[in-house]
Amino acid sequence: MENLITIENGERAPHTFSGDEYEGRLSRLRNLLVEQNLDSVIFTSYHNINYYSDFLFCHFGRFYAFVVTHDKATLVSANIDGGQPWRRTYGDNLIYTDWQRDNYFRAIQRLVLAGGRVGIEQDNLTVTNLGKMIGALPNTELIDIAPQVMALRMIKSDEEIAHIKQGAQVADIGGAACVAAITEDVPEHEVALASTGAMVREIASRFPHAELMDTWTWFQSGLNTDGAHNPVTSRRVQKGDILSLNCFPMIAGYYTALERTLFLDHASDDHLRLWNVNVEVHKRGLDLIMPGVRCCDIAKELNEIYKAHGLLKYRTFGYGHSFGVLSHYYGREAGLELREDIETVLEPNMVVSMEPMIMLPEGIPGSGGYREHDILVITEDGADNITGFPFGPNHNIVVG
């Protein structure tokens, strides 16, 4: 039984972006290899493999890689996937089998010349796999280049921005389906299913050659709104409940989002006061996003609004983050988050969210989690808000 094989089954699938787009990405990466005096790079993360190869793998206990040298780019995939990685990948494909332990590292050995300087994503390798990588490539200097590659991904191309805009439009459609499904006594999961179904169908219509995977909705009510990432439950919605709409279309590894605070039928005076404060922060945040502004300065100014209302202690996370190749289970351009400890300067063609959230625990008047979320593309002289769904009490008290 062979250790390494190839399976070229069927015809190549159309790629998410043009060949020029992928060649541009690889060219910029190879320039980085020259700058860092590297012979090759071994990508092991979902996000970088997807970004450079257009392939999004299913881990399921196996490991994947995209090896880029100065003249070749090769995906390392598992035999369990058959010919699908070859059909989807921009580049070559080498498959390892399960018939011998650590055939994955034998594939790495075939593609990477030992004894040189090789870039890796150190933040993505387990201690065990880093040790095996060192053993597979003796006398090789492994250099962490994850931060530099992240910086390359933070500036989006025109094709990427067009793709992200489509995702934002799909999220708006999911939001409309979500609101249409909200009635008294409806379970959270039924609302979420209506939203997710609408988004998947829209993605299938817009992207007929895409794999349909990972799109989801978190619809939370009452106490369940206290966390931004709380899973859907079967709790039934009641009149006067605070609600949190969270629509997340996934298109070829690119996540977009729509998040809104809503109420069913009515909101108490205490809830309205808190909601309006969060809307005030959101509006100011939208105005602050422009080229030349540091992420940390946006966070500090918005903190002052919460502080003036006595609510700063109820803020739960940063004010926004980069968009692109990311998901709830992989990826994060951590250098582009709107937080007090991030000094990155916003530049044209960056894509960021504005998403202030406060959470007041039970027992406090107006308790619940409040969050609004828009996506903005930085331009030469400002920012383009690509989220169309309205926010605030004038729009999102649902009559159902």
Side-chain angles (χ1 to χ4, degrees), residues 104-172:
Y104 170 76
F105 294 98
R106 294 184 177 92
I108 299 294
Q109 285 176 318
R110 176 174 291 187
L111 299 172
V112 177
L113 182 65
R117 285 169 53 87
V118 177
I120 59 169
E121 299 177 81
Q122 191 164 305
D123 60 350
N124 188 259
L125 283 170
T126 64
V127 172
T128 298
N129 278 2
L130 179 58
K132 290 184 177 182
M133 194 78 76
I134 292 170
L137 301 172
N139 304 314
T140 301
E141 190 175 1
L142 301 180
I143 310 296
D144 181 27
I145 63 165
Q148 296 95 321
V149 174
M150 176 185 67
L152 292 178
R153 296 199 319 272
M154 289 194 317
I155 305 296
K156 312 304 177 192
S157 69
D158 291 343
E159 286 194 33
E160 277 186 288
I161 289 171
H163 186 81
I164 292 168
K165 285 181 176 179
Q166 293 230 47
Q169 292 165 12
V170 173
D172 286 343

Side-chain angles (χ1 to χ4, degrees), residues 188 217-220 223-233 246:
E188 290 177 0
T217 301
W218 283 323
F219 175 72
Q220 302 137 346
L223 177 63
N224 295 338
T225 63
D226 67 345
H229 301 156
N230 291 354
V232 170
T233 73
N246 308 271

